[in-house]
Amino acid sequence: MNRIQELETLITKHKALYYQGRPEIEDHEYDSLEDELKNLDPENPVLSIVGSFKINNKIKHDSKMLSLNKTYKPEELVTWANGNDVLSTFKIDGVSCSLIYKSGKLFQAKTRGDGSHGEDITEKVKWMPSVPKKIYLEENIEIRGELFTYEEDFYKLTEEMLIIGLERPTSQRNIVAGLIGRKENLELNRYITFKAFEFISKRQLEFEEDKYKLLEENGFKIPNYDIHKSGKNFEEIISSAKEFMSNGNFQIDGIVFCLNRLSLHEELGATAHHPRYKIAFKFAGESKITTLKKIIWSVSRNGVLTPVGDVEAVELSGAKITRVTLHNYGLVNQHKLKSGDQIEIIRSGEVIPKFLSVKKSSTEEYKIPEKCPSCNEKIDIVDIRLICNNPRCPGKILESILYFVQKMGIDDLSSKRLNEFIKNGLINEISDLYKIKSEDLLKLDKVQEKLATKLVNAINKSRNVDLITFMTSLGISGGGRNKIEKIFHSGVKSLDKFKNLNSENLQNIESFAQKSSEEFIQSFKSKLPLIESLEKVGFQFKEVKLKETKLTGKKICITGTLSEKRSSIEDKIRNVGGIIVSSVTKNTDYLLCNDENSSSSKMKKAKALNTQIISEKKLESLIS
């Protein structure tokens, strides 16, 4: 009983400090306290407390703003999903916010507070450019989302706060809580961004993803989302989150998974603490204090200088750690990191260890590189990054070729070997790989005829690769394998069709929002010279011929109960060139529904727009 009472006191204290923007312990330490109490006393009322306690300008929420249940195990996600389609987004590490709109105008903004009542922050939110002041929907609606800062904005905010005599902020999350709690300097709130993830109204929608589309149509920034069919294939999004935690431009602390079908939300309901149809996947972590020996700078394939901390060895999560990511120049400059600093670092699960804070600053001189560590050319400071603009920089060339080689699966070519190729003038760009001959390699140190033949054969063999792997290897922004596969299966099955893609086409494909579509197209266009050079050295991709039917090129939306798995129906449509869309618009050709009397929102909209409604039987006849 003594330990239970002790845990109640600790959890209550640290929860309050967290929501005040003054945390004394890390998230993973707090989570371990909750987990311990849950094991000792599963029904303890402290576990159901949501949000902070002291609220000024108290306003009641129409429906509670609940917390999320969490898991650290991928297999528990599969059990929770129970075979249902799931939508996932990165879990932004910020401050929850609710926006109320009446007659299309922003009426009120409030914090989560204690879950039942929040604090009025309307005047502060008006400073935030990412919060639409007007939307086209005129019914009374509530939009929920997260307030946070991008790295670039946090850097600029810090500079402005120091200029006007305020204290240096300690972290991106804490400064958001601090700013919305201040009574003065409201103009600093313009550095805060709002991303929406919840749409609450009387409007009848069928899927969680429909909310995201409506939010984006009304001018809200939304997190990128993915759809996981039948509650499977979570590995890729978990891997992406790990990478984003190390390299992303804002802070996340996990992934939120939500059942896509909204009828299941009503069916499953919620506890007093969390909804049963949503769950957060988090990475268990451990932090320790060590000494920063030196900062090592390297150049990426995009010319960005990336700092890595060489630290005194410590053990974290069962691994010996001697290197830690310092993210970018902005973080190094923000904390004036230098040799001898005592720093706190964290490793969450298998994620690359990263810097948390400076515990004791050393007397060594703070300095940053003035020249690129690879080519020795002058570098530029661009916001929070150091950039090498030399197009012939060996480091940039090496990293871009290495990325291509790894994605293409040319396993025999290591970074060390590629660096040797570059230094000896054998390659200057990716296409040069396919011009190498065995006799060229025999001139290199320690390369015998057997190894030379093996390397050349491995390189030449990679010319015969499928289009999905090839497109993934180009390093297109937002062009991970999962996204490329979705484009391919939408009917874009040749290089020419990829070249003819535009942003509007992409937005008809699952998981592509407006911003991500535009970024993909812009990045793809920048890769066209590379594609052309690879075609010249023998890469060829034959178009996969689709059977021409009355569905070829038609946009089909699906609603209601089907006779077989939804994914099977979708595959049938895609295999004859049909395009699956998630909502009914004026551009939709067919709504597939077996119930003519369905009261779903899609059926109502289809009838209003005179969209042709077909059954599965009719679908089969169109396919044949």
Side-chain angles (χ1 to χ4, degrees), residues 87-90 144 195-199 205 207-227 256 258 260 278 513-514:
L87 180 146
S88 69
T89 64
F90 289 164
R144 291 177 177 177
K195 280 199 176 186
F197 56 69
E198 182 61 277
F199 179 99
L205 301 174
F207 296 105
E208 182 74 7
E209 64 183 304
D210 294 339
K211 296 180 183 178
Y212 284 85
K213 293 181 185 297
L214 262 177
L215 288 167
E216 191 170 39
E217 287 171 8
N218 279 272
F220 291 96
K221 292 180 180 291
I222 60 171
N224 290 335
Y225 62 88
D226 285 281
I227 305 295
V256 177
C258 179
N260 197 25
K278 271 189 181 183
Q514 181 181 344

Short mmCIF file of all heavy atoms in Angstrom, two decimals, residues 87-90 144 195-199 205 207-227 256 258 260 278 513-514:
data_model
loop_
_atom_site.label_atom_id
_atom_site.label_comp_id
_atom_site.label_asym_id
_atom_site.label_seq_id
_atom_site.Cartn_x
_atom_site.Cartn_y
_atom_site.Cartn_z
N LEU A 87 -5.72 3.26 -39.57
CA LEU A 87 -5.04 4.48 -40.02
C LEU A 87 -3.99 4.86 -38.99
O LEU A 87 -4.25 4.81 -37.79
CB LEU A 87 -6.05 5.61 -40.19
CG LEU A 87 -5.52 6.97 -40.67
CD1 LEU A 87 -6.57 7.67 -41.55
CD2 LEU A 87 -5.17 7.89 -39.50
N SER A 88 -2.80 5.23 -39.46
CA SER A 88 -1.73 5.60 -38.52
C SER A 88 -1.16 6.96 -38.86
O SER A 88 -1.11 7.36 -40.03
CB SER A 88 -0.60 4.56 -38.54
OG SER A 88 0.09 4.61 -39.78
N THR A 89 -0.75 7.69 -37.83
CA THR A 89 -0.02 8.96 -37.99
C THR A 89 1.07 9.01 -36.92
O THR A 89 0.97 8.35 -35.89
CB THR A 89 -0.93 10.19 -37.78
OG1 THR A 89 -1.42 10.20 -36.43
CG2 THR A 89 -2.11 10.19 -38.72
N PHE A 90 2.10 9.81 -37.18
CA PHE A 90 3.10 10.03 -36.14
C PHE A 90 2.43 10.77 -34.97
O PHE A 90 1.58 11.64 -35.18
CB PHE A 90 4.26 10.86 -36.67
CG PHE A 90 5.15 10.13 -37.64
CD1 PHE A 90 6.03 10.82 -38.44
CD2 PHE A 90 5.11 8.75 -37.74
CE1 PHE A 90 6.86 10.17 -39.34
CE2 PHE A 90 5.93 8.07 -38.63
CZ PHE A 90 6.81 8.79 -39.44
N ARG A 144 -9.90 19.14 -33.41
CA ARG A 144 -8.87 18.90 -32.39
C ARG A 144 -7.54 18.58 -33.06
O ARG A 144 -7.51 18.00 -34.14
CB ARG A 144 -9.29 17.77 -31.45
CG ARG A 144 -10.46 18.14 -30.56
CD ARG A 144 -10.92 17.00 -29.67
NE ARG A 144 -12.01 17.44 -28.79
CZ ARG A 144 -12.65 16.65 -27.95
NH1 ARG A 144 -12.32 15.36 -27.87
NH2 ARG A 144 -13.61 17.14 -27.19
N LYS A 195 -1.54 21.22 -36.07
CA LYS A 195 -1.90 20.17 -37.02
C LYS A 195 -3.15 19.47 -36.50
O LYS A 195 -3.21 19.06 -35.33
CB LYS A 195 -0.77 19.15 -37.21
CG LYS A 195 0.31 19.64 -38.17
CD LYS A 195 1.14 18.50 -38.71
CE LYS A 195 2.15 19.02 -39.74
NZ LYS A 195 2.89 17.96 -40.41
N ALA A 196 -4.15 19.33 -37.36
CA ALA A 196 -5.44 18.78 -36.96
C ALA A 196 -5.50 17.28 -37.18
O ALA A 196 -4.98 16.77 -38.19
CB ALA A 196 -6.55 19.46 -37.76
N PHE A 197 -6.15 16.58 -36.23
CA PHE A 197 -6.31 15.13 -36.40
C PHE A 197 -7.72 14.64 -36.04
O PHE A 197 -8.01 13.46 -36.15
CB PHE A 197 -5.28 14.36 -35.58
CG PHE A 197 -5.28 14.67 -34.10
CD1 PHE A 197 -6.32 14.29 -33.27
CD2 PHE A 197 -4.22 15.36 -33.53
CE1 PHE A 197 -6.32 14.58 -31.91
CE2 PHE A 197 -4.20 15.64 -32.17
CZ PHE A 197 -5.25 15.25 -31.36
N GLU A 198 -8.60 15.55 -35.64
CA GLU A 198 -9.94 15.12 -35.24
C GLU A 198 -10.99 16.12 -35.72
O GLU A 198 -10.79 17.33 -35.64
CB GLU A 198 -10.03 14.95 -33.72
CG GLU A 198 -11.38 14.45 -33.21
CD GLU A 198 -11.74 13.08 -33.75
OE1 GLU A 198 -12.27 13.02 -34.88
OE2 GLU A 198 -11.51 12.07 -33.05
N PHE A 199 -12.09 15.59 -36.25
CA PHE A 199 -13.17 16.39 -36.81
C PHE A 199 -14.45 15.93 -36.13
O PHE A 199 -14.87 14.79 -36.30
CB PHE A 199 -13.22 16.16 -38.33
CG PHE A 199 -14.30 16.90 -39.05
CD1 PHE A 199 -14.02 18.09 -39.71
CD2 PHE A 199 -15.60 16.40 -39.10
CE1 PHE A 199 -15.02 18.76 -40.39
CE2 PHE A 199 -16.60 17.07 -39.77
CZ PHE A 199 -16.32 18.25 -40.42
N LEU A 205 -19.84 10.51 -41.56
CA LEU A 205 -18.71 10.04 -42.34
C LEU A 205 -18.55 8.54 -42.12
O LEU A 205 -19.06 7.98 -41.14
CB LEU A 205 -17.43 10.77 -41.93
CG LEU A 205 -17.44 12.30 -42.07
CD1 LEU A 205 -16.17 12.90 -41.48
CD2 LEU A 205 -17.59 12.70 -43.52
N PHE A 207 -15.30 6.75 -42.76
CA PHE A 207 -13.95 6.33 -42.39
C PHE A 207 -13.18 7.46 -41.71
O PHE A 207 -13.46 8.64 -41.94
CB PHE A 207 -13.16 5.87 -43.64
CG PHE A 207 -13.74 4.66 -44.30
CD1 PHE A 207 -14.44 4.77 -45.48
CD2 PHE A 207 -13.58 3.41 -43.73
CE1 PHE A 207 -14.99 3.66 -46.10
CE2 PHE A 207 -14.11 2.28 -44.34
CZ PHE A 207 -14.82 2.40 -45.52
N GLU A 208 -12.22 7.07 -40.89
CA GLU A 208 -11.36 8.04 -40.22
C GLU A 208 -10.62 8.89 -41.25
O GLU A 208 -10.44 10.10 -41.08
CB GLU A 208 -10.35 7.29 -39.33
CG GLU A 208 -9.41 8.18 -38.53
CD GLU A 208 -10.06 8.87 -37.34
OE1 GLU A 208 -11.23 8.56 -37.03
OE2 GLU A 208 -9.41 9.73 -36.73
N GLU A 209 -10.19 8.28 -42.36
CA GLU A 209 -9.45 9.04 -43.37
C GLU A 209 -10.32 10.12 -44.02
O GLU A 209 -9.81 11.12 -44.52
CB GLU A 209 -8.87 8.11 -44.43
CG GLU A 209 -9.89 7.36 -45.25
CD GLU A 209 -9.25 6.41 -46.24
OE1 GLU A 209 -8.43 6.86 -47.06
OE2 GLU A 209 -9.57 5.20 -46.18
N ASP A 210 -11.67 9.94 -43.99
CA ASP A 210 -12.56 10.97 -44.53
C ASP A 210 -12.42 12.28 -43.74
O ASP A 210 -12.54 13.37 -44.29
CB ASP A 210 -14.02 10.51 -44.48
CG ASP A 210 -14.28 9.33 -45.41
OD1 ASP A 210 -13.49 9.13 -46.35
OD2 ASP A 210 -15.26 8.61 -45.18
N LYS A 211 -12.16 12.14 -42.43
CA LYS A 211 -11.96 13.33 -41.60
C LYS A 211 -10.73 14.11 -42.07
O LYS A 211 -10.76 15.34 -42.17
CB LYS A 211 -11.75 12.92 -40.13
CG LYS A 211 -12.93 12.25 -39.47
CD LYS A 211 -12.57 11.92 -38.02
CE LYS A 211 -13.68 11.18 -37.31
NZ LYS A 211 -13.29 10.83 -35.92
N TYR A 212 -9.65 13.39 -42.35
CA TYR A 212 -8.41 14.05 -42.76
C TYR A 212 -8.59 14.78 -44.09
O TYR A 212 -8.06 15.88 -44.28
CB TYR A 212 -7.27 13.03 -42.85
CG TYR A 212 -6.75 12.62 -41.49
CD1 TYR A 212 -7.37 11.61 -40.76
CD2 TYR A 212 -5.65 13.25 -40.93
CE1 TYR A 212 -6.90 11.25 -39.50
CE2 TYR A 212 -5.17 12.90 -39.68
CZ TYR A 212 -5.81 11.89 -38.97
OH TYR A 212 -5.35 11.54 -37.72
N LYS A 213 -9.35 14.17 -44.99
CA LYS A 213 -9.58 14.82 -46.28
C LYS A 213 -10.41 16.10 -46.09
O LYS A 213 -10.13 17.13 -46.71
CB LYS A 213 -10.28 13.85 -47.23
CG LYS A 213 -9.40 12.67 -47.65
CD LYS A 213 -10.12 11.74 -48.60
CE LYS A 213 -9.26 10.51 -48.90
NZ LYS A 213 -8.01 10.83 -49.59
N LEU A 214 -11.43 16.03 -45.24
CA LEU A 214 -12.25 17.22 -44.96
C LEU A 214 -11.42 18.32 -44.30
O LEU A 214 -11.56 19.50 -44.62
CB LEU A 214 -13.42 16.85 -44.05
CG LEU A 214 -14.77 16.58 -44.72
CD1 LEU A 214 -15.79 16.15 -43.68
CD2 LEU A 214 -15.26 17.80 -45.46
N LEU A 215 -10.57 17.92 -43.36
CA LEU A 215 -9.72 18.89 -42.67
C LEU A 215 -8.81 19.62 -43.65
O LEU A 215 -8.68 20.84 -43.61
CB LEU A 215 -8.88 18.18 -41.60
CG LEU A 215 -9.65 17.70 -40.36
CD1 LEU A 215 -8.79 16.74 -39.54
CD2 LEU A 215 -10.09 18.87 -39.50
N GLU A 216 -8.19 18.84 -44.55
CA GLU A 216 -7.27 19.45 -45.50
C GLU A 216 -8.02 20.35 -46.49
O GLU A 216 -7.55 21.43 -46.83
CB GLU A 216 -6.50 18.37 -46.25
CG GLU A 216 -5.34 18.94 -47.06
CD GLU A 216 -4.42 17.87 -47.60
OE1 GLU A 216 -4.93 16.82 -48.03
OE2 GLU A 216 -3.20 18.09 -47.61
N GLU A 217 -9.21 19.93 -46.91
CA GLU A 217 -10.01 20.74 -47.81
C GLU A 217 -10.38 22.09 -47.19
O GLU A 217 -10.58 23.08 -47.90
CB GLU A 217 -11.30 20.00 -48.19
CG GLU A 217 -11.09 18.84 -49.15
CD GLU A 217 -12.35 18.00 -49.33
OE1 GLU A 217 -13.42 18.42 -48.82
OE2 GLU A 217 -12.26 16.93 -49.95
N ASN A 218 -10.44 22.13 -45.86
CA ASN A 218 -10.80 23.36 -45.16
C ASN A 218 -9.59 24.17 -44.69
O ASN A 218 -9.74 25.10 -43.90
CB ASN A 218 -11.72 23.04 -43.98
CG ASN A 218 -13.15 22.84 -44.41
OD1 ASN A 218 -13.93 23.78 -44.49
ND2 ASN A 218 -13.51 21.59 -44.71
N GLY A 219 -8.42 23.83 -45.20
CA GLY A 219 -7.24 24.65 -44.94
C GLY A 219 -6.41 24.27 -43.73
O GLY A 219 -5.50 25.01 -43.37
N PHE A 220 -6.70 23.13 -43.10
CA PHE A 220 -5.93 22.73 -41.93
C PHE A 220 -4.71 21.92 -42.35
O PHE A 220 -4.77 21.13 -43.31
CB PHE A 220 -6.78 21.87 -40.99
CG PHE A 220 -7.89 22.61 -40.31
CD1 PHE A 220 -9.17 22.60 -40.84
CD2 PHE A 220 -7.65 23.35 -39.16
CE1 PHE A 220 -10.20 23.30 -40.23
CE2 PHE A 220 -8.67 24.04 -38.54
CZ PHE A 220 -9.95 24.02 -39.07
N LYS A 221 -3.60 22.12 -41.66
CA LYS A 221 -2.45 21.23 -41.80
C LYS A 221 -2.80 19.93 -41.11
O LYS A 221 -3.39 19.94 -40.03
CB LYS A 221 -1.20 21.85 -41.16
CG LYS A 221 -0.66 23.08 -41.87
CD LYS A 221 0.57 23.60 -41.12
CE LYS A 221 1.15 24.82 -41.80
NZ LYS A 221 1.75 24.54 -43.10
N ILE A 222 -2.46 18.81 -41.73
CA ILE A 222 -2.74 17.50 -41.13
C ILE A 222 -1.47 16.67 -41.12
O ILE A 222 -0.58 16.88 -41.95
CB ILE A 222 -3.84 16.74 -41.90
CG1 ILE A 222 -3.41 16.49 -43.36
CG2 ILE A 222 -5.17 17.47 -41.85
CD1 ILE A 222 -4.33 15.56 -44.13
N PRO A 223 -1.34 15.75 -40.17
CA PRO A 223 -0.18 14.85 -40.21
C PRO A 223 -0.33 13.88 -41.38
O PRO A 223 -1.44 13.55 -41.78
CB PRO A 223 -0.27 14.10 -38.86
CG PRO A 223 -1.65 14.30 -38.36
CD PRO A 223 -2.23 15.49 -39.03
N ASN A 224 0.79 13.45 -41.95
CA ASN A 224 0.74 12.42 -42.98
C ASN A 224 0.16 11.15 -42.37
O ASN A 224 0.45 10.81 -41.21
CB ASN A 224 2.13 12.13 -43.54
CG ASN A 224 2.66 13.27 -44.37
OD1 ASN A 224 1.88 14.06 -44.92
ND2 ASN A 224 3.96 13.38 -44.49
N TYR A 225 -0.65 10.44 -43.14
CA TYR A 225 -1.24 9.21 -42.60
C TYR A 225 -1.07 8.05 -43.57
O TYR A 225 -0.88 8.25 -44.77
CB TYR A 225 -2.73 9.41 -42.27
CG TYR A 225 -3.61 9.74 -43.46
CD1 TYR A 225 -4.19 8.74 -44.22
CD2 TYR A 225 -3.88 11.07 -43.80
CE1 TYR A 225 -5.00 9.04 -45.30
CE2 TYR A 225 -4.70 11.38 -44.88
CZ TYR A 225 -5.26 10.37 -45.62
OH TYR A 225 -6.06 10.66 -46.70
N ASP A 226 -1.11 6.84 -43.02
CA ASP A 226 -1.04 5.61 -43.81
C ASP A 226 -2.21 4.72 -43.44
O ASP A 226 -2.69 4.76 -42.29
CB ASP A 226 0.27 4.87 -43.54
CG ASP A 226 1.46 5.53 -44.22
OD1 ASP A 226 1.63 5.32 -45.42
OD2 ASP A 226 2.20 6.25 -43.54
N ILE A 227 -2.65 3.92 -44.40
CA ILE A 227 -3.72 2.95 -44.15
C ILE A 227 -3.10 1.55 -44.16
O ILE A 227 -2.36 1.20 -45.07
CB ILE A 227 -4.82 3.03 -45.23
CG1 ILE A 227 -5.38 4.45 -45.33
CG2 ILE A 227 -5.94 2.03 -44.90
CD1 ILE A 227 -6.09 4.94 -44.11
N VAL A 256 0.31 7.04 -33.54
CA VAL A 256 -1.08 6.83 -33.14
C VAL A 256 -1.74 5.94 -34.18
O VAL A 256 -1.67 6.21 -35.39
CB VAL A 256 -1.85 8.16 -33.03
CG1 VAL A 256 -3.33 7.88 -32.69
CG2 VAL A 256 -1.24 9.05 -31.96
N CYS A 258 -5.44 4.16 -35.32
CA CYS A 258 -6.88 4.33 -35.14
C CYS A 258 -7.62 3.43 -36.11
O CYS A 258 -7.25 3.34 -37.29
CB CYS A 258 -7.26 5.80 -35.38
SG CYS A 258 -9.02 6.15 -35.20
N ASN A 260 -10.01 2.45 -38.87
CA ASN A 260 -10.44 3.35 -39.95
C ASN A 260 -11.96 3.45 -40.06
O ASN A 260 -12.50 4.52 -40.35
CB ASN A 260 -9.84 2.89 -41.28
CG ASN A 260 -9.88 3.98 -42.33
OD1 ASN A 260 -9.91 5.17 -42.02
ND2 ASN A 260 -9.89 3.59 -43.59
N LYS A 278 -8.56 3.62 -30.50
CA LYS A 278 -7.27 4.26 -30.77
C LYS A 278 -6.24 3.73 -29.79
O LYS A 278 -6.56 3.40 -28.65
CB LYS A 278 -7.36 5.79 -30.60
CG LYS A 278 -7.76 6.55 -31.83
CD LYS A 278 -7.60 8.06 -31.60
CE LYS A 278 -8.03 8.83 -32.85
NZ LYS A 278 -7.82 10.28 -32.68
N ALA A 513 -1.78 13.28 -49.37
CA ALA A 513 -2.49 14.54 -49.15
C ALA A 513 -1.93 15.58 -50.11
O ALA A 513 -1.00 15.31 -50.87
CB ALA A 513 -2.31 14.98 -47.69
N GLN A 514 -2.48 16.79 -50.08
CA GLN A 514 -2.06 17.82 -51.04
C GLN A 514 -0.58 18.14 -50.93
O GLN A 514 0.15 18.14 -51.93
CB GLN A 514 -2.88 19.10 -50.82
CG GLN A 514 -2.53 20.21 -51.80
CD GLN A 514 -3.33 21.47 -51.57
OE1 GLN A 514 -4.33 21.47 -50.88
NE2 GLN A 514 -2.88 22.57 -52.14
#
